[in-house]
Amino acid sequence: MNFKTFALALAATAATTLALPAAAQFAKPEDAIKYRQSSLFVMGQHFGRIGAMANGKVPFDAKAAQADAEVIAALSSLPWTGFGPGTDKAAPTKARPEVWTDQAKFQDHAQKFQAEAPKLLAAAQSGNLDQLKAAFGSAANSCKACHDNFRAR
Ligand code: ASC
């Protein structure tokens, strides 16, 4: 293969890769389901730890809260690629069919949560418990709104 052929092949590969639907990032639908459940589970763990502080169940530890919020901010964009086409029932899932039949609304909920995550991080970085409580409440509402609409009970 000469350089020009190689460059063309490389460009074609890059274009194809970029154009691939999110589901194609996973070897199989089960992987996409595991991926979204794992990232949501990890966020849930750290969100719960912040919640325990926000609700006075454990003493406020500003450094711990910041570390928790960093994890959430880093992971907040991840789960959504795991909800691609064909990932509605390849493994046990609480995701309701509406995730796929009402994509616009689902993506809107996902966006709202992703907008909350950096605000939660900023509040945690402030070291101010009242700010953290407010940001936690707002973020929790975005979790709940999506769960109420798109997660099976
Ligand atoms: C959590 C958690 C959620 C949300 C949600 C908010 O701590 O794991 O899924 O808060 O319960 O209503």
Side-chain angles (χ1 to χ4, degrees):
M1 193 188 281
N2 65 28
F3 177 75
K4 195 178 167 195
T5 315
F6 175 73
L8 282 172
L10 194 67
T13 306
T16 310
T17 307
L18 293 173
L20 283 176
Q25 295 170 1
F26 300 100
K28 44 191 198 296
E30 299 92 301
D31 288 351
I33 293 173
K34 197 184 289 183
Y35 182 90
R36 74 196 188 209
Q37 290 175 342
S38 304
S39 49
L40 287 163
F41 174 78
V42 172
M43 283 195 283
Q45 292 293 299
H46 291 275
F47 199 67
R49 292 175 198 175
I50 292 177
M53 292 185 241
N55 294 316
K57 296 206 170 76
V58 305
F60 176 46
D61 177 337
K63 277 187 81 170
Q66 188 175 326
D68 290 324
E70 279 167 1
V71 173
I72 295 163
L75 269 57
S76 60
S77 68
L78 299 187
W80 325 112
T81 61
F83 289 92
T87 66
D88 53 338
K89 51 190 170 218
T93 172
K94 289 187 206 156
R96 282 163 49 179
E98 286 79 6
V99 168
W100 293 273
T101 58
D102 203 349
Q103 261 293 305
K105 188 175 167 189
F106 179 68
Q107 291 301 335
D108 185 55
H109 278 84
Q111 284 300 329
K112 285 199 171 116
F113 168 68
Q114 289 175 86
E116 292 296 336
K119 293 184 200 167
L120 182 65
L121 178 56
Q125 286 168 338
S126 77
N128 180 297
L129 181 57
D130 287 329
Q131 282 192 43
L132 186 67
K133 283 181 182 172
F136 173 80
S138 186
N141 283 340
S142 75
C143 298
K144 186 177 188 310
C146 195
H147 292 165
D148 286 351
N149 283 287
F150 294 101
R151 185 173 70 170
R153 273 164 274 272

